[in-house]
Amino acid sequence: MTAARTVYITRKARFSAAHRYHVADWRPERNREVFGASNNPFGHGHNYDVEVTVAGEVEPETGMVLNLREIDGIVAEEVVSRLDHRHLNEELPEWRARVPTTENLAIDIWQRLAPRLDRKQARLYRVRVYESPDLYAEYLGEKE
Amino acid sequence: MTAARTVYITRKARFSAAHRYHVADWRPERNREVFGASNNPFGHGHNYDVEVTVAGEVEPETGMVLNLREIDGIVAEEVVSRLDHRHLNEELPEWRARVPTTENLAIDIWQRLAPRLDRKQARLYRVRVYESPDLYAEYLGEKE
Amino acid sequence: MTAARTVYITRKARFSAAHRYHVADWRPERNREVFGASNNPFGHGHNYDVEVTVAGEVEPETGMVLNLREIDGIVAEEVVSRLDHRHLNEELPEWRARVPTTENLAIDIWQRLAPRLDRKQARLYRVRVYESPDLYAEYLGEKE
Amino acid sequence: MTAARTVYITRKARFSAAHRYHVADWRPERNREVFGASNNPFGHGHNYDVEVTVAGEVEPETGMVLNLREIDGIVAEEVVSRLDHRHLNEELPEWRARVPTTENLAIDIWQRLAPRLDRKQARLYRVRVYESPDLYAEYLGEKE
Amino acid sequence: MTAARTVYITRKARFSAAHRYHVADWRPERNREVFGASNNPFGHGHNYDVEVTVAGEVEPETGMVLNLREIDGIVAEEVVSRLDHRHLNEELPEWRARVPTTENLAIDIWQRLAPRLDRKQARLYRVRVYESPDLYAEYLGEKE
Amino acid sequence: MTAARTVYITRKARFSAAHRYHVADWRPERNREVFGASNNPFGHGHNYDVEVTVAGEVEPETGMVLNLREIDGIVAEEVVSRLDHRHLNEELPEWRARVPTTENLAIDIWQRLAPRLDRKQARLYRVRVYESPDLYAEYLGEKE
């Protein structure tokens, strides 16, 4: 995968979800101080954009790093069908005790996609999550 | 206000909110059939954009239809501080028994803004609400 | 349909297509002079955005002018599945002898959508076709 | 021009300019109070987007309301080459004694374009000027 | 070029082109299976955005890595005038036997730009090609 | 800070400013030749977007690299309140003798933000400055 001619291909997907920032162990005053309005009890929501970047060598015959239809299928299963139209804290077990910040969402989506996208000549390179046009988080996996 | 030289000035504001589509009088099957995933019990959310258009004559000295800082103050009070970081159905009384569709949000925002923006030489002309880049509703008030 | 409380709801769809500007009855020089590079023999292409606006009264129970899933189904059939990934001049009979300009596309899409979207309390109001972010055409139907 | 089949074609152009809001007859305090930071003595600037909409019948042979290259030539002369990379108040006589608000720019651009774009079967319909993605003004000409 | 103070400057350009995904050695069924609708016989098209990034030290007097007008001239020659309003497979020899995927376009544009943009204190750093807002490929050259 | 699990969080801010490209030591002809219309005597202006990227480990309890409200406060002080609605050359001492190119703005903003954003487990990673949607500069600090 340390190919001489690495190309990075990025696909954007979208989902709409509600979330709330809250640490159960903290007193209400501290939750409010750290998280502000994001601590409001019933949550609020966003249109999220997710950019999934796969890096690899271009397959000479097809001209592709990885067939886009394959990427789309995996992203639909692991990201869109899982998160779209959900209240993350209320409906998804992984967010019951973990704050669904943009940072944590990027890590979580990476961990779901990486095992399914890694190939002999391609691998997941980066997950970028936009909470809004003005805020995004990126995760590139663990570095040894 | 039917001025010879009407100019339309439009200001965009933003808020993030959660909502749910649900009619209490309907059986679960019908709610699901009509609203699909928007009926999920805890709601989901969006980054909303609101475009507020004021029409009027340009005041000759200032070159303005209405001072932008005045529009901004009214929109901040009636729209952003009221709706941002809220779960509409759970936190706002007007959405307890009314489905917070994009259409209804456009009407509701119009009704809050119109009495505050109407002036001798300017009036609210249109409210446009984007739920996402791919869906928006517009309301121009009641026509006799 | 001349309702006191008309709301306009707009849905955006996308398709990618190739096209060519050419009038068969003209000499090559005139085609080149009028159409420039758009007359190149094999065509070029665009990512088109189509905004479909439906106007009507809001149905009190659902809060909707027309169920979005119904709009989506009709637009998918009449616009996206028909035009996406096509060379308009070469593959679609209606564009063999008619120049597929943005203007003509707006009229054609209107004529396909209007009979399917008109309802007792809602009707197609406008079709807007973007050929690029810098060029769009709008058609609102024939006025008597 | 009240054609049965009017199509609206819109072209976007761009220019970057500096401007200042200031009324020479007012005391500094009043200028500051009405215009805020826009009254800063040396001006500030924007990337302006201008959308020029021409309405008319589609010419049957070409499928166009007005040849886009003709629109582009006129907009380049009257808008872009005149305003791009200028300090409006300092370099253009029409803005020495008139505040270059977005509203006034829309009217001024309309007045320059209308006489050059009006044809037997097409006419300028609307000028929209964006000062930023969050603020725009529209002018549709004088109505009798 | 491994300067202490490297700045990256990125310029965006645009072109509209038609293309088709097809491997001549494959049977029709396999082309259809791998490429889907992108294999349609006459091609389809896109509005491409190309972002060209040059990295280098800032020249102290001008404050520039490389004069933007120089970048613009080279990109106009090598990218826009070559690709805009073309059917890539039919009109350009390099795409007759090679699939014009977004990945391959990024490599090809890199190879045309790199020899013309490399300077003593600046060099081409990255080429990014957007086929649509939802898909882009990046190439950073061969790494030894 | 060379954490196993680095996440990059990016915040966008905006300001509108006027600027002029001019080297006092040069003759007018050379200024014109190198800078073109950007050398016009009174300057022009832009809507600038600034993307500030902070890299670090995610704090386990809060799920954040750095509290967004802290980033916002620092960016408001060092960037927006300093540059918004200003003529850079005329009002800010640092730009009197230095050309306010996009490259130099990226370096200057980095130097103001880095000392205020660096923490035990987070540091400023990149400053990106858009002068327009078609031009941006990035600076990642000095590398030893």
Side-chain angles (χ1 to χ4, degrees):
Chain A
M1 234 313 297
T2 54
R5 269 203 188 178
T6 301
V7 174
Y8 303 81
I9 185 89
T10 298
R11 185 61 158 175
K12 186 187 282 197
R14 293 169 177 78
F15 65 93
S16 293
H19 71 166
R20 183 197 182 198
Y21 287 9
H22 184 72
V23 175
D25 291 346
W26 291 357
R27 279 174 304 114
E29 297 73 24
R30 188 164 175 213
N31 270 299
R32 171 62 45 179
E33 184 196 321
V34 173
F35 296 129
S38 296
N39 182 245
N40 285 353
F42 299 97
H44 61 287
H46 300 287
N47 304 320
Y48 288 93
D49 283 356
V50 181
E51 291 190 0
V52 176
T53 301
V54 174
E57 280 188 86
V58 172
E59 204 278 314
E61 250 186 338
T62 62
M64 294 173 171
V65 167
L66 190 58
N67 195 309
L68 198 63
R69 299 201 283 175
E70 206 173 335
I71 300 178
D72 285 350
I74 292 167
V75 172
E77 276 179 45
E78 299 290 346
V79 182
V80 180
S81 74
R82 184 171 181 83
L83 303 176
D84 191 36
H85 279 68
R86 297 288 168 195
H87 191 305
L88 302 181
N89 311 57
E90 301 288 346
E91 295 184 81
L92 295 177
E94 65 268 31
W95 300 112
R96 287 204 189 273
R98 194 181 174 201
V99 186
T101 56
T102 320
E103 291 94 323
N104 276 342
L105 278 165
I107 295 175
D108 182 77
I109 292 172
W110 170 281
Q111 289 170 339
R112 290 176 193 282
L113 290 177
R116 299 207 48 193
L117 283 168
D118 285 1
R119 297 288 186 283
K120 201 174 59 174
Q121 62 168 30
R123 64 174 167 74
L124 180 60
Y125 173 75
R126 187 181 59 211
V127 167
R128 183 186 288 161
V129 178
Y130 284 86
E131 184 190 277
S132 79
D134 293 351
L135 182 67
Y136 62 85
E138 295 166 296
Y139 185 56
L140 289 81
E142 281 189 55
K143 306 300 174 203
E144 310 89 73
Chain B
M1 234 312 298
T2 52
R5 270 204 188 177
T6 301
V7 174
Y8 302 81
I9 184 89
T10 298
R11 186 59 159 175
K12 186 187 283 197
R14 293 167 179 79
F15 66 91
S16 293
H19 70 167
R20 183 197 183 198
Y21 288 8
H22 183 73
V23 174
D25 292 347
W26 292 357
R27 280 172 304 114
E29 296 73 24
R30 187 165 174 211
N31 271 298
R32 171 63 45 179
E33 185 196 320
V34 172
F35 296 128
S38 295
N39 182 244
N40 285 354
F42 298 96
H44 60 287
H46 300 287
N47 303 321
Y48 288 93
D49 285 354
V50 181
E51 292 190 358
V52 176
T53 302
V54 174
E57 279 188 87
V58 173
E59 203 279 314
E61 251 186 336
T62 62
M64 294 172 172
V65 167
L66 190 58
N67 196 308
L68 198 63
R69 299 201 284 175
E70 205 172 338
I71 301 178
D72 284 349
I74 292 168
V75 172
E77 276 179 44
E78 300 291 345
V79 182
V80 180
S81 73
R82 183 171 182 81
L83 302 177
D84 191 35
H85 279 68
R86 298 287 167 195
H87 190 306
L88 302 180
N89 310 58
E90 301 287 346
E91 295 185 81
L92 296 176
E94 64 268 32
W95 301 112
R96 288 204 189 273
R98 193 182 174 202
V99 186
T101 56
T102 320
E103 290 95 322
N104 276 343
L105 278 165
I107 294 174
D108 182 77
I109 292 171
W110 170 282
Q111 288 170 340
R112 290 177 193 281
L113 291 178
R116 299 208 47 194
L117 284 168
D118 285 1
R119 297 287 185 286
K120 200 174 60 176
Q121 63 168 31
R123 62 171 169 78
L124 181 61
Y125 173 74
R126 186 181 60 211
V127 168
R128 182 187 289 163
V129 178
Y130 283 86
E131 185 190 277
S132 79
D134 294 351
L135 182 67
Y136 61 86
E138 295 166 295
Y139 185 56
L140 289 82
E142 281 189 54
K143 306 299 173 203
E144 309 89 76
Chain C
M1 236 313 298
T2 54
R5 270 204 187 178
T6 300
V7 174
Y8 303 80
I9 184 88
T10 298
R11 184 62 159 175
K12 187 187 281 197
R14 293 167 178 80
F15 65 93
S16 294
H19 70 169
R20 184 198 181 196
Y21 288 8
H22 183 73
V23 174
D25 291 348
W26 291 358
R27 280 172 305 114
E29 297 73 25
R30 189 165 174 212
N31 271 298
R32 171 63 45 179
E33 185 196 320
V34 172
F35 296 127
S38 296
N39 182 244
N40 284 354
F42 299 96
H44 61 287
H46 300 287
N47 303 320
Y48 289 93
D49 285 354
V50 181
E51 291 190 358
V52 176
T53 301
V54 173
E57 280 188 86
V58 173
E59 203 279 313
E61 251 187 337
T62 62
M64 294 172 171
V65 167
L66 190 58
N67 196 308
L68 199 62
R69 299 203 283 176
E70 205 172 338
I71 301 178
D72 285 349
I74 292 167
V75 171
E77 276 178 45
E78 300 290 346
V79 181
V80 180
S81 73
R82 183 171 183 82
L83 302 177
D84 192 36
H85 279 68
R86 298 288 167 194
H87 191 305
L88 302 180
N89 311 56
E90 300 289 345
E91 295 184 81
L92 296 176
E94 66 268 33
W95 301 112
R96 288 205 188 273
R98 195 181 173 201
V99 185
T101 56
T102 321
E103 289 95 323
N104 276 342
L105 278 164
I107 295 174
D108 182 76
I109 291 171
W110 170 282
Q111 288 170 339
R112 291 176 192 281
L113 290 177
R116 299 209 47 195
L117 284 168
D118 284 1
R119 298 287 185 284
K120 201 174 58 175
Q121 64 170 28
R123 64 172 166 77
L124 181 61
Y125 173 74
R126 187 181 60 211
V127 168
R128 182 186 289 162
V129 178
Y130 284 86
E131 185 190 277
S132 80
D134 294 351
L135 182 67
Y136 61 86
E138 295 166 294
Y139 185 56
L140 288 82
E142 280 190 54
K143 308 295 174 206
E144 310 89 73
Chain D
M1 236 314 297
T2 52
R5 271 204 186 176
T6 301
V7 174
Y8 303 81
I9 184 90
T10 299
R11 185 61 160 175
K12 186 187 283 198
R14 293 167 178 79
F15 66 92
S16 294
H19 70 168
R20 183 198 182 197
Y21 288 8
H22 183 73
V23 174
D25 291 346
W26 291 357
R27 279 172 305 113
E29 297 73 25
R30 187 163 175 215
N31 271 298
R32 172 61 47 177
E33 184 195 319
V34 172
F35 296 128
S38 295
N39 182 244
N40 285 354
F42 299 96
H44 61 286
H46 300 286
N47 304 320
Y48 289 93
D49 284 354
V50 181
E51 290 189 0
V52 176
T53 301
V54 174
E57 281 188 85
V58 173
E59 203 278 313
E61 250 186 338
T62 62
M64 295 172 170
V65 167
L66 190 58
N67 196 309
L68 198 63
R69 300 202 283 175
E70 206 174 336
I71 301 177
D72 284 350
I74 293 167
V75 172
E77 276 179 44
E78 299 291 345
V79 182
V80 180
S81 73
R82 183 171 184 82
L83 303 177
D84 191 37
H85 279 69
R86 298 287 167 195
H87 191 305
L88 302 180
N89 310 56
E90 300 287 347
E91 295 184 81
L92 296 177
E94 65 267 32
W95 300 113
R96 289 203 188 273
R98 193 182 174 201
V99 186
T101 56
T102 320
E103 290 95 323
N104 275 342
L105 278 165
I107 295 174
D108 182 77
I109 292 171
W110 169 282
Q111 288 170 339
R112 290 176 194 282
L113 289 178
R116 298 207 49 193
L117 283 168
D118 285 359
R119 297 289 185 283
K120 200 174 59 176
Q121 62 169 30
R123 63 172 169 78
L124 180 60
Y125 173 74
R126 187 180 60 211
V127 167
R128 183 187 288 163
V129 178
Y130 283 86
E131 185 191 276
S132 79
D134 294 351
L135 183 66
Y136 61 85
E138 296 166 294
Y139 185 56
L140 288 82
E142 282 190 53
K143 307 297 174 205
E144 308 89 74
Chain E
M1 237 313 298
T2 53
R5 270 204 187 179
T6 301
V7 174
Y8 303 81
I9 184 89
T10 298
R11 185 60 159 176
K12 187 186 280 197
R14 293 168 178 79
F15 66 93
S16 294
H19 71 167
R20 184 199 181 195
Y21 287 9
H22 183 72
V23 175
D25 291 348
W26 291 357
R27 279 173 304 115
E29 296 74 24
R30 189 166 172 211
N31 271 298
R32 172 61 46 177
E33 184 196 320
V34 172
F35 296 128
S38 295
N39 182 244
N40 284 353
F42 299 97
H44 61 287
H46 300 287
N47 303 321
Y48 289 93
D49 283 355
V50 181
E51 291 190 359
V52 176
T53 301
V54 174
E57 281 188 86
V58 172
E59 204 277 313
E61 250 187 337
T62 61
M64 294 173 172
V65 167
L66 191 58
N67 196 309
L68 198 64
R69 300 202 283 177
E70 206 173 334
I71 301 178
D72 285 349
I74 293 167
V75 172
E77 276 178 45
E78 299 291 345
V79 182
V80 180
S81 74
R82 182 170 184 83
L83 303 177
D84 191 36
H85 279 69
R86 296 288 167 193
H87 190 305
L88 302 181
N89 310 57
E90 300 288 346
E91 295 184 82
L92 295 176
E94 64 268 32
W95 300 113
R96 288 205 188 272
R98 195 182 173 200
V99 186
T101 57
T102 321
E103 290 95 321
N104 276 342
L105 278 165
I107 295 175
D108 182 77
I109 291 171
W110 170 282
Q111 289 171 339
R112 291 176 193 282
L113 290 177
R116 300 206 49 193
L117 284 168
D118 284 0
R119 297 287 186 282
K120 202 174 57 175
Q121 62 167 32
R123 64 173 166 77
L124 181 60
Y125 173 74
R126 187 181 60 212
V127 168
R128 183 186 288 162
V129 178
Y130 284 86
E131 185 191 277
S132 79
D134 293 352
L135 182 68
Y136 61 86
E138 295 167 295
Y139 185 57
L140 288 81
E142 281 190 53
K143 307 298 174 203
E144 308 89 73
Chain F
M1 235 313 298
T2 53
R5 269 204 188 178
T6 301
V7 174
Y8 303 81
I9 185 89
T10 299
R11 185 61 158 175
K12 187 185 281 197
R14 292 168 179 79
F15 66 92
S16 293
H19 70 168
R20 183 198 182 198
Y21 288 9
H22 183 72
V23 174
D25 291 348
W26 291 357
R27 279 173 304 115
E29 296 74 23
R30 190 166 172 210
N31 271 298
R32 172 61 45 178
E33 184 196 320
V34 173
F35 296 128
S38 296
N39 181 245
N40 285 353
F42 299 96
H44 60 288
H46 300 287
N47 303 320
Y48 289 93
D49 284 355
V50 182
E51 291 190 359
V52 176
T53 301
V54 174
E57 281 188 85
V58 173
E59 205 277 312
E61 250 186 337
T62 62
M64 293 173 172
V65 167
L66 191 57
N67 196 308
L68 198 63
R69 299 200 285 175
E70 205 172 336
I71 302 178
D72 285 349
I74 292 167
V75 172
E77 275 179 46
E78 300 291 346
V79 182
V80 180
S81 73
R82 183 171 182 82
L83 303 176
D84 192 37
H85 279 68
R86 297 289 168 194
H87 191 304
L88 302 180
N89 311 57
E90 301 288 345
E91 295 184 82
L92 296 176
E94 66 268 32
W95 300 113
R96 288 206 187 273
R98 194 182 174 201
V99 186
T101 57
T102 321
E103 290 95 323
N104 276 342
L105 278 165
I107 294 174
D108 182 77
I109 291 171
W110 170 282
Q111 288 171 340
R112 291 176 192 281
L113 290 177
R116 300 208 49 195
L117 284 168
D118 284 1
R119 298 287 185 283
K120 201 173 59 176
Q121 62 168 31
R123 64 174 167 75
L124 180 61
Y125 173 74
R126 188 181 59 212
V127 168
R128 184 186 287 163
V129 178
Y130 284 87
E131 185 190 278
S132 79
D134 293 351
L135 182 68
Y136 62 86
E138 295 165 296
Y139 185 56
L140 289 81
E142 280 190 54
K143 307 298 174 203
E144 310 89 73

